[in-house]
Amino acid sequence: MNNSVGSTARLIGAGLRALLVLTVICGVLYPLAITGVAQALFNDKGNGSEVKSGGKVVGSSLIGQTYNLPKKNADDAEEAAVPDLKWFQPRPSNGLGSNSVNPQYSLLLSGATNRSGDNGVGKDGRCPTDPKDAKEGTLCKWVVEAQDAVIHDNSTATYKVKPSDVPADAVTSSGSGLDPQISPAYAKIQVHRVAEKNNLDVKQVEKLVQEHTEGRTLSFIGEPRVNVLELNIALKELIAKG
């Protein structure tokens, strides 16, 4: 009996010692070591790829933002957001859902639309060209409405956007709904509108887009892209210069 109790006590003691040692190693030393390496070698990425403007953190280069006009009624959740056309606009974020778990916080949840590529197409395998003919709640409805909005918002007195000019990323959200970048083609069709709204020369804005266009990673991975937040910060600085 005593031997049994002694063996059990030794096993419990060994288990507690192992728990303590592993807690210190895995729960304290390892996180501190990884954090130290991240801060020393990858400080920017380790802190969330923060983007600063005027000495303040204004966002992350990894997460997209919207650029909308203030709501007329800030407490009205049903009021549709209206884009502020002075700024370059990001991709649509149809995949984002509202936070219904804790309504105390106005958070958005990352996610895709979960609609198939042929959701809402007609018998000819195509989406209707008129939003009125598209079925509510379908991907086609969202796409044709977004295309109409892009054409309307970005056409100016001297520059008309054609349906064939509108790239896919202008009318579809990314898988996460949080993509911070747009294609150079989408940035290009926004140039004339941004220049007009801010009383800038078109060539100035075109140059700004060129300067903020990133090439493919390692020259072959991904596609050329433009970070909207960084582009709008540069635009704000250009406007300030007059």
Side-chain angles (χ1 to χ4, degrees):
M1 183 70 176
N2 289 337
N3 289 338
S4 177
V5 172
S7 297
T8 301
R10 283 195 297 273
L11 287 174
I12 293 174
L16 290 174
R17 288 194 296 273
L19 174 63
L20 178 61
V21 170
L22 291 174
T23 299
V24 172
I25 293 175
C26 299
V28 180
L29 298 180
Y30 178 75
L32 285 176
I34 294 300
T35 301
V37 170
Q39 290 298 316
L41 302 180
F42 311 102
N43 183 264
D44 176 59
K45 293 180 174 61
N47 288 320
S49 300
E50 296 173 338
V51 176
K52 294 183 179 181
S53 177
K56 297 180 180 179
V57 175
V58 294
S60 168
S61 63
L62 302 177
I63 301 176
Q65 297 186 22
T66 54
Y67 301 87
N68 298 325
L69 293 169
K71 285 187 172 185
K72 294 179 181 178
N73 182 358
D75 298 324
D76 185 3
E78 299 299 320
E79 183 182 341
V82 178
D84 188 344
L85 299 180
K86 292 195 309 180
W87 307 105
F88 284 93
Q89 294 297 312
R91 295 184 66 167
S93 54
N94 305 74
L96 292 178
S98 60
N99 171 37
S100 59
V101 179
N102 188 346
Q104 182 178 354
Y105 298 97
S106 300
L107 301 177
L108 291 178
L109 309 179
S110 171
T113 62
N114 289 329
R115 300 291 194 277
S116 63
D118 60 354
N119 182 241
V121 300
K123 293 181 180 179
D124 59 355
R126 297 175 179 273
C127 287
T129 55
D130 190 335
K132 295 178 183 177
D133 298 330
K135 187 178 179 181
E136 285 292 339
T138 63
L139 182 63
C140 279
K141 179 74 170 179
W142 293 338
V143 167
V144 293
E145 284 184 340
Q147 185 184 55
D148 271 11
V150 169
I151 293 171
H152 176 268
D153 290 345
N154 292 288
S155 293
T156 67
T158 58
Y159 178 77
K160 299 301 179 184
V161 179
K162 297 178 291 185
S164 58
D165 295 332
V166 181
D169 63 302
V171 296
T172 57
S173 62
S174 63
S176 67
L178 299 173
D179 199 330
Q181 296 140 341
I182 58 175
S183 67
Y186 187 23
K188 179 182 177 182
I189 64 174
Q190 298 188 61
V191 164
H192 288 261
R193 181 254 299 163
V194 169
E196 181 182 88
K197 294 291 183 180
N198 293 289
N199 297 315
L200 296 171
D201 185 76
V202 170
K203 292 191 179 299
Q204 284 181 296
V205 183
E206 286 178 336
K207 183 181 178 183
L208 211 61
V209 171
Q210 290 172 0
E211 291 172 348
H212 288 81
T213 299
E214 303 174 50
R216 291 180 172 87
T217 304
L218 300 178
S219 300
F220 70 95
I221 300 175
E223 295 293 331
R225 54 205 179 274
V226 181
N227 188 288
V228 181
L229 174 58
E230 294 174 357
L231 178 60
N232 278 332
I233 290 173
L235 174 63
K236 181 179 179 181
E237 293 172 353
L238 180 62
I239 295 170
K241 291 178 182 177

